[in-house]
Amino acid sequence: MSRGKVAALRARLRAAFGPRLRTGVRWKISAAIALVGALVAVALSLVVHNAARVSMLDNARDVQDERILYAQRIYETSGRTSQFGMKIDDPEMPKELLSKVLAGRRATYVEEHDGGVPDIWAAVPLSDGHILSLHTRFTDRSATVMKDLDQALVIGSISVVFGGCALGVLIGGQLSRRLRKAATAAQEVARGQTDVSVRDAIGGVVRDETDDLARSVDAMADALKQRLEAERRVTADIAHELRTPVTGLLTAAELLPPGRPTELVRDRAQAMRTLVEDVLEVARLDSAAERAELQDLMLGEFVTRRIGALNSEVSVTVVHESEVTTDPRRLERILGNLLANAAKHGKPPVEVSVEGRVVRVRDHGPGFPAGLLAEGPSRFRTGSTDRAGVGHGLGLTIAAGQARVLGARLTFRNVTPAGAGPDDPAEGAVAVLWLPEHAPTNTGSYPMLQLSDKYKPDKYKHGT
């Protein structure tokens, strides 16, 4: 096959199945074992078939040789040629057999026919110069035996292939399950669940390469966790050490005489103080030591009151009122950061809506950058150049961290016009806060629901 045809075939496969064909380990192992089993079965079948056929033909030639000796004695003593269908100077005798007999040798010969039963020949030179020959076909019984043997070999080969497939599915399934468990545990580690061990997740008694992979992933996760912890401690220590001099700087700026330079110093000092406080808050949220102080409140009324105090120009729409159990201080912090982000990076009007336990904050700016939509907020990342580029990128990071403390979920998306393509500009950005139905307890866990007897399984009713 030429290179052009191979390239065209690859292009058609990519168009039909995508850039890469995705197959599981289970099916790859099954296909490999089935292929090896098929090759071995075919090779053994050919060997057995040929060995059996050669053995039967040798036996037939031995029988024919005994018959020609017996026929020779009868002919030389009585001159009769009626035994075993013997002939004198048979013109149909094969040339190979004739050449051997003319050399003065007694010989046997197997004459093959295309797709048919072979003929068994035997010939011997006589004392009177003639040639005595016998000609019989391969026995029907032998042909039947060969046919039964071939049928048994075919059935055995098919059984080997299917057995190899089943074995491959079992072996590949075991390995595939371990790999899937390892991948799931690794994803949980990537999401920040540092107490997950990949080696414990895959389990099993037999040690193989999967265990080596799991131990390597666990070692890598531990090293990354230690490095992140060290970075958090350094960041928190630096922010804590900066807190006192920044506070002193801000106090000293208040004592400066009025004027434009004084306003600039005060503004920069206040910005530095805000940055230090934000870094300390991020460090506390990353340490997972924060706990919510829960209160019952009406979400729509709370959001309307707090938004009015934060920014009176933002419109609030309560679609459906709902009572929630949450931490009002942390909820206000999330709303404030979302409004500040919309004011810095978006465009008015900024709209807030409350529907049940869901709060949406929308602006009409260029939308969130692709990196934030794909990976979530990250500290000190303010987005792409299509946004204003001001700030330190901590506002949404703090909002997402406070949402985790509340057991809530904070998502981000862009608003695009109907029928717009992926490269068309957005018409705004929307941050959605999903408050949980059951708030976390002071220990960070979730309350257990008490089921009535009619919803309990029978084993609980009977105490089994």
Side-chain angles (χ1 to χ4, degrees), residues 337-348 350 361-373 377 381-391 393 395-396 412-415 425-431:
N337 284 11
L338 294 180
L339 290 179
N341 181 80
K344 288 180 181 179
H345 305 297
K347 294 180 181 179
V350 179
V361 178
R362 178 190 175 180
D363 63 58
H364 290 74
F368 293 113
L372 186 144
L373 296 177
R381 183 176 65 184
T382 58
S384 58
T385 56
D386 60 345
R387 293 172 76 86
V390 296
L396 294 183
F412 306 92
R413 65 179 179 88
N414 290 335
V415 179
E427 293 184 343
V430 180

Side-chain angles (χ1 to χ4, degrees), residues 261-313:
T262 300
E263 293 179 0
L264 292 176
V265 171
R266 290 175 181 173
D267 181 65
R268 292 299 89 193
Q270 182 61 43
M272 185 177 295
R273 181 178 180 179
T274 302
L275 175 60
V276 170
E277 294 295 337
D278 287 346
V279 171
L280 286 174
E281 186 172 359
V282 170
R284 289 194 300 269
L285 292 173
D286 288 342
S287 66
E290 294 287 288
R291 294 292 179 263
E293 298 179 1
L294 304 178
Q295 296 181 17
D296 294 333
L297 52 87
M298 303 302 294
L299 183 59
E301 178 185 354
F302 177 85
V303 171
T304 302
R305 187 171 63 252
R306 289 294 188 268
I307 295 297
L310 293 173
N311 190 343
S312 59
E313 297 181 358

Side-chain angles (χ1 to χ4, degrees), residues 85-336:
M86 56 185 180
K87 294 181 180 180
I88 302 297
D89 299 332
D90 189 353
E92 297 180 358
M93 187 184 307
K95 295 180 179 180
E96 293 84 354
L97 179 61
L98 180 60
S99 62
K100 293 180 181 180
V101 175
L102 292 176
R105 299 167 51 190
R106 185 181 78 251
T108 59
Y109 181 76
V110 177
E111 185 178 14
E112 300 284 352
H113 298 285
D114 295 337
V117 180
D119 293 339
I120 311 298
W121 287 82
V124 62
L126 300 174
S127 58
D128 57 3
H130 294 285
I131 297 176
L132 178 64
S133 63
L134 293 177
H135 173 213
T136 59
R137 298 183 66 80
F138 197 50
T139 61
D140 294 337
R141 181 176 180 276
S142 299
T144 304
V145 171
M146 288 299 302
K147 184 183 296 184
D148 294 340
L149 177 62
D150 292 340
Q151 185 178 2
L153 291 175
V154 170
I155 295 175
S157 300
I158 295 175
S159 301
V160 168
V161 172
F162 280 101
C165 289
L167 181 62
V169 169
L170 292 177
I171 298 176
Q174 178 73 14
L175 179 60
S176 179
R177 282 192 296 272
R178 290 166 64 85
L179 290 176
R180 283 198 298 269
K181 290 180 180 178
T184 302
Q187 291 175 358
E188 293 179 356
V189 172
R191 287 195 291 266
Q193 300 184 17
T194 56
D195 57 338
V196 176
S197 171
V198 179
R199 178 64 188 87
D200 295 338
I202 63 176
V205 178
V206 179
R207 294 292 181 91
D208 54 15
E209 288 79 1
T210 310
D211 296 85
D212 298 335
L213 174 63
R215 284 194 293 269
S216 299
V217 173
D218 288 337
M220 179 184 66
D222 292 338
L224 290 176
K225 182 171 65 175
Q226 294 175 4
R227 181 173 296 181
L228 290 176
E229 287 294 334
E231 292 179 356
R232 290 175 186 146
R233 286 195 300 268
V234 170
T235 303
D237 292 343
I238 293 175
H240 185 74
E241 293 298 328
L242 287 175
R243 198 175 191 179
T244 300
V246 169
T247 302
L249 179 62
L250 188 62
T251 303
E254 297 292 337
L255 301 177
L256 295 176
R260 181 59 180 169
T262 300
E263 293 179 0
L264 292 176
V265 171
R266 290 175 181 173
D267 181 65
R268 292 299 89 193
Q270 182 61 43
M272 185 177 295
R273 181 178 180 179
T274 302
L275 175 60
V276 170
E277 294 295 337
D278 287 346
V279 171
L280 286 174
E281 186 172 359
V282 170
R284 289 194 300 269
L285 292 173
D286 288 342
S287 66
E290 294 287 288
R291 294 292 179 263
E293 298 179 1
L294 304 178
Q295 296 181 17
D296 294 333
L297 52 87
M298 303 302 294
L299 183 59
E301 178 185 354
F302 177 85
V303 171
T304 302
R305 187 171 63 252
R306 289 294 188 268
I307 295 297
L310 293 173
N311 190 343
S312 59
E313 297 181 358
V314 176
S315 62
V316 181
T317 303
V318 180
V319 180
H320 176 65
E321 182 66 278
S322 177
E323 183 178 2
V324 297
T325 302
T326 187
D327 189 330
R329 180 181 65 83
R330 298 183 188 277
L331 180 57
E332 183 177 0
R333 177 67 163 155
I334 295 173
L335 295 175

Side-chain angles (χ1 to χ4, degrees), residues 41-55 146 149-150 152-153:
V42 170
L44 290 178
S45 298
L46 292 176
V47 170
V48 172
H49 173 83
N50 291 331
R53 191 171 186 275
V54 169
S55 177
M146 288 299 302
L149 177 62
D150 292 340
L153 291 175

